[in-house]
Amino acid sequence: MNVIVFSTHSYEKKYFEDINKFFHHNIKFLELQLTAETASLAKGYSCVCAFVNDKINKQTIEALSEFGVKLIALRSVGFNHVDLKEAKKHNLTVVRVPEYSPYAVAEHSIALLLSLNRKIHKAYNRVHEFNFSLDGLTGFDLNKKTVGIIGTGRIGMAMAKIMNGFGCQVLAYDKYPNNTNENITYVSLNDLYQYSDIISLHIPLSKDSFHLLNKESFSKMKRNVIIINSSRGGLIDSRALIQALKRGVIKGAALDVYEEEESYFFSDFSEKGIDDDILARLISFPNVLITAHQAFLTHEALTGIVNTTLQNILDFENDIKLINQVQINEN
Ligand code: NAI
């Protein structure tokens, strides 16, 4: 099939080229983001392959449809950035990668938590300057702490198992609790807020979950809680987070996502700087650790993402039942 890949990053191109030797799609790679303005570049391609920060709104979909695109192949789990109603209206099929190494995301969340708690980012910089002082680097034991996991799907469960391994008590909240692991106790959201020393988000972004963590929820949390978000930025009201950090209500935040990230993440702004004062403020806190949507970035996850994406496209081309089609009511 003729496929145009938007927002191509150098780290993934090699995986596409290697794995496509088994699929034989005709692929063009673009570094450009998919937007209503760039959609015309898809003319002549039946499939556009898009990533998390591509803007697949009404205008983009109208344009893609006008230029003859039939399939949007998302190389992500999340599909909150796609106007599914509009896609359906224009008879555009949307597929995604519902599952790939959940360990990649769970382990990155742990890496953030450990770095933030044990101040590894600060220690690294100090030692580089031959500053071997330990002042201000005190952390706490994870052993016997209570971790609240919101969302016990694939990633949340991988996270829960790792936290159990650290000797933590795991509380969980899920709209549809469905696991029977005896080391996890399901509680109400309010109880999770009240008793957790660490809260980690592992749910999709939807109308339901938008700004789940807000002024009110922060006020219900145990003092000195650490927040981890490797799911989607929109789950947290960033302004409320800044207020909570300023008031010292929460001990710190480890974030791999940010609600307005599509303007910045995956690109180099080291020369220009950024205009987003909220992001700049978050970065400025000594107790906030941010990575730029990197949790998925392991060899195993990239292999899984590219394999499933190319298979999804092949199945569409061969008119085989699409197991990874995004349904309009999935949110
Ligand atoms: P999953 O579909 O296996 O699990 C999601 C869980 O959340 C389900 O158990 C579901 O019942 C629950 N849920 C959904 N809406 C909820 C709500 N409003 N309140 C409470 N529970 C709710 O998904 P998976 O694979 O565990 O991924 C979770 C999220 O992680 C994805 O939606 C995506 O946004 C994010 N993600 C981030 C990546 C990164 O690189 N930072 C990479 C991959 C996924």
Side-chain angles (χ1 to χ4, degrees):
M1 193 165 204
N2 283 346
V3 182
I4 184 158
V5 180
F6 281 88
S7 300
T8 311
H9 303 105
S10 55
Y11 61 75
E12 61 188 343
K13 197 170 171 199
K14 191 179 171 326
Y15 286 85
F16 267 103
E17 287 168 347
D18 287 351
I19 297 173
N20 192 42
K21 286 179 189 145
F22 302 97
F23 287 91
H24 310 293
H25 294 301
N26 173 30
I27 303 182
K28 177 165 172 81
F29 296 99
L30 291 182
E31 285 177 21
L32 282 171
Q33 221 177 14
L34 174 58
T35 63
E37 289 72 41
T38 60
S40 61
L41 297 167
K43 192 172 179 185
Y45 292 87
S46 307
C47 170
V48 296
C49 181
F51 198 43
V52 287
N53 289 335
D54 287 317
K55 292 193 179 115
I56 316 175
N57 55 17
K58 183 174 187 288
Q59 292 76 14
T60 306
I61 288 172
E62 277 171 358
L64 290 177
S65 165
E66 192 187 319
F67 292 116
V69 172
K70 301 283 176 235
L71 177 68
I72 300 174
L74 303 174
R75 47 192 199 282
S76 60
V77 175
F79 50 87
N80 50 286
H81 55 308
V82 184
D83 187 333
L84 292 176
K85 274 198 194 132
E86 203 59 28
K88 189 173 173 158
K89 195 170 129 193
H90 289 276
N91 211 13
L92 265 170
T93 302
V94 181
V95 286
R96 66 172 177 139
V97 182
E99 167 173 23
Y100 55 84
S101 172
Y103 310 104
V105 183
E107 289 172 15
H108 187 80
S109 307
I110 305 284
L112 284 174
L113 170 63
L114 288 173
S115 302
L116 183 68
N117 173 27
R118 303 305 297 269
K119 303 177 173 57
I120 303 298
H121 52 309
K122 292 186 186 180
Y124 175 83
N125 286 333
R126 278 191 198 180
V127 170
H128 247 255
E129 292 176 1
F130 307 122
N131 174 358
F132 304 112
S133 152
L134 299 183
D135 288 346
L137 298 186
T138 309
F140 60 85
D141 286 6
L142 288 178
N143 186 43
K144 296 207 166 52
K145 294 295 181 298
T146 300
V147 181
I149 306 242
I150 302 184
T152 52
R154 285 168 281 252
I155 297 169
M157 279 309 297
M159 181 79 181
K161 279 187 200 148
I162 301 172
M163 295 315 312
N164 279 147
F166 274 101
C168 295
Q169 187 199 356
V170 176
L171 302 180
Y173 172 79
D174 195 296
K175 210 162 138 187
Y176 308 106
N178 65 351
N179 96 83
T180 51
N181 184 327
E182 59 190 24
N183 295 320
I184 294 173
T185 310
Y186 280 101
V187 293
S188 68
L189 209 43
N190 279 345
D191 282 354
L192 186 143
Y193 291 150
Q194 192 179 343
Y195 297 112
S196 300
D197 300 295
I198 295 153
I199 294 178
S200 196
L201 300 175
H202 301 287
I203 57 174
L205 178 61
S206 64
K207 276 193 207 112
D208 256 17
S209 62
F210 178 71
H211 284 187
L212 178 76
L213 299 196
N214 53 35
K215 189 176 173 197
E216 195 193 340
S217 39
F218 285 127
S219 72
K220 293 177 183 167
M221 290 177 194
K222 193 169 176 177
R223 231 185 149 78
N224 278 329
V225 64
I226 285 189
I227 307 291
I228 308 171
N229 186 10
S230 61
S231 278
R232 285 294 179 267
L235 296 175
I236 301 183
D237 176 347
S238 306
R239 288 170 196 271
L241 175 64
I242 289 172
Q243 289 312 315
L245 285 159
K246 277 167 100 172
R247 291 203 320 275
V249 184
I250 64 176
K251 195 180 186 72
L255 311 171
D256 186 52
V257 286
Y258 168 63
E259 53 183 325
E260 304 295 335
E261 68 177 45
E262 67 270 13
S263 306
Y264 298 106
F265 283 13
F266 309 126
S267 301
D268 181 359
F269 284 84
S270 57
E271 294 297 323
K272 275 194 236 163
I274 59 171
D275 291 334
D276 185 329
D277 293 344
I278 294 178
L279 178 58
R281 182 67 182 104
L282 281 172
I283 292 169
S284 77
F285 282 102
N287 50 345
V288 172
L289 190 54
I290 299 183
T291 50
H293 209 132
Q294 139 184 12
F296 69 96
L297 200 60
T298 67
H299 167 71
E300 290 77 3
L302 287 171
T303 305
I305 290 168
V306 172
N307 248 317
T308 305
T309 301
L310 296 179
Q311 185 65 49
N312 284 342
I313 297 169
L314 188 65
D315 289 350
F316 179 84
E317 189 176 21
N318 291 338
D319 209 10
I320 292 174
K321 185 174 162 45
L322 294 171
I323 50 172
N324 296 327
Q325 182 168 1
V326 183
Q327 303 300 338
I328 199 155
N329 55 359
E330 225 170 310
N331 257 337

